[in-house]
């Protein structure tokens, strides 16, 4: 079976403390609940979560929806986006099956990067490593006024912006991510066509502004 690997890179730095981090936790729970109701997604989508603050961790390896267990996350420290991109590159190499002459590999990964701040490490270094291995679609989300969408635009052509990192906006972001995963899993299952840009995902809600 060809899997649709989905990676969520979530900013858990100190500025996410309080309402934003709670909204992210609720958003992930809602997303999983909703995806488990979708017959195509439950067959195809596998989800992994990487968090980045002063440390970068893959808190959930690439897991099928039925077995997925969320781990509690807390906000602290700084924004190591570069290290998160480097870890993502490693996981794409080890967890995603590539297509060879003998076998059909997984579908191209769908990657969502959500940050409310500015990277505090060398993000270009992590990005170079990611560029060498990534064949999927990266969607960047700049959450709130403190986020720099210019950096995200250098990482991907698909960037959305939330004007506020409050619970309502973050909740809308996760609803849109859920719809995007559902749409993509249906598309690959039914037509074998992969999603290559924002224009092939469902239109985002009004809280999410497309910047690139």
């Amino acid at each position: 079976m060809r899997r649709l690997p989905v990676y969520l890179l979530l900013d858990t730095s100190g500025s996410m403390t309080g309402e934003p981090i709670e909204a992210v936790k609720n958003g992930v729970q809602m997303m999983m609940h909703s995806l488990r109701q979708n017959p195509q997604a439950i067959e195809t989508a596998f989800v992994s979560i990487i968090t980045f603050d002063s440390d970068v961790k893959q808190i959930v390896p690439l897991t099928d929806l039925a077995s997925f267990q969320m781990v509690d996350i807390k906000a602290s420290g700084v924004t190591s986006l570069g290290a998160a991109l480097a870890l993502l590159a490693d996981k794409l190499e080890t967890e995603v099956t590539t297509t060879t002459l003998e076998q059909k590999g997984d579908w191209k990964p769908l990657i969502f990067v959500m940050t409310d701040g500015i990277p505090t490490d060398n993000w270009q270094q992590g990005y170079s490593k990611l560029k060498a291995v990534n064949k999927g679609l990266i969607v960047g989300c700049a959450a709130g006024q403190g986020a720099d969408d210019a950096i995200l635009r250098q990482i991907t052509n698909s960037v959305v912006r939330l004007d506020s990192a409050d619970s309502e906006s973050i909740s809308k972001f996760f609803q849109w991510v859920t719809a995007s995963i559902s749409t993509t899993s249906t598309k690959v299952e039914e037509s074998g066509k992969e999603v290559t840009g924002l224009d092939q995902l469902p239109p985002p809600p009004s809280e999410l502004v497309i910047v690139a």
Side-chain angles (χ1 to χ4, degrees):
M1 190 198 73
R2 301 182 72 182
R3 305 176 302 172
L4 172 67
V6 179
Y7 286 87
L8 299 182
L9 272 66
L10 303 174
D11 186 336
T12 48
S13 60
S15 52
M16 290 287 287
T17 299
E19 190 182 348
I21 200 82
E22 291 306 318
V24 166
K25 289 196 255 193
N26 292 338
V28 172
Q29 298 291 13
M30 277 180 347
M31 177 183 87
M32 297 312 293
H33 178 72
S34 174
L35 289 174
R36 284 178 181 140
Q37 317 297 315
N38 177 320
Q40 260 106 4
I42 200 124
E43 285 293 307
T44 320
F46 280 62
V47 177
S48 166
I49 295 188
I50 290 173
T51 56
F52 57 99
D53 43 60
S54 303
D55 291 322
V56 173
K57 296 191 272 297
Q58 185 186 38
I59 60 167
V60 182
L62 199 60
T63 305
D64 65 276
L65 299 182
S67 318
F68 183 95
Q69 295 274 325
M70 186 53 181
V71 176
D72 190 39
I73 48 177
K74 297 190 167 40
S76 67
V78 295
T79 311
S80 308
L81 179 61
L85 297 176
L87 178 62
L88 172 63
D90 290 341
K91 298 303 174 186
L92 289 174
E93 284 200 291
T94 56
E95 293 182 334
V96 177
T97 311
T98 47
T99 297
T100 61
L101 290 171
E102 290 80 44
Q103 63 168 9
K104 281 272 191 208
D106 292 328
W107 300 105
K108 287 180 180 164
L110 200 49
I111 298 158
F112 294 91
V113 182
M114 180 188 189
T115 179
D116 76 330
I118 293 164
T120 47
D121 63 351
N122 183 345
W123 67 268
Q124 286 99 334
Q125 203 173 350
Y127 177 52
S128 310
K129 189 170 172 184
L130 177 61
K131 225 169 22 181
V133 299
N134 177 47
K135 305 290 179 283
L137 170 64
I138 301 178
V139 177
C141 174
Q145 301 300 323
D148 186 352
D149 56 38
I151 289 176
L152 289 174
R153 284 202 304 271
Q154 292 177 63
I155 295 170
T156 174
N157 299 328
S158 306
V159 179
V160 293
R161 180 168 196 98
L162 286 173
D163 281 335
S164 160
D166 62 11
S167 54
E168 196 177 327
S169 302
I170 289 174
S171 161
K172 291 283 196 227
F173 170 69
F174 276 99
Q175 284 169 22
W176 177 68
V177 169
T178 306
S180 299
I181 297 169
S182 296
T183 300
T184 307
S185 57
T186 303
K187 202 169 183 158
V188 294
E189 288 274 304
E190 290 177 356
S191 67
K193 288 200 168 57
E194 298 183 290
V195 170
T196 53
L198 275 183
D199 54 339
Q200 295 160 336
L201 295 177
S206 57
E207 289 82 354
L208 271 184
V209 181
I210 294 179
V211 288

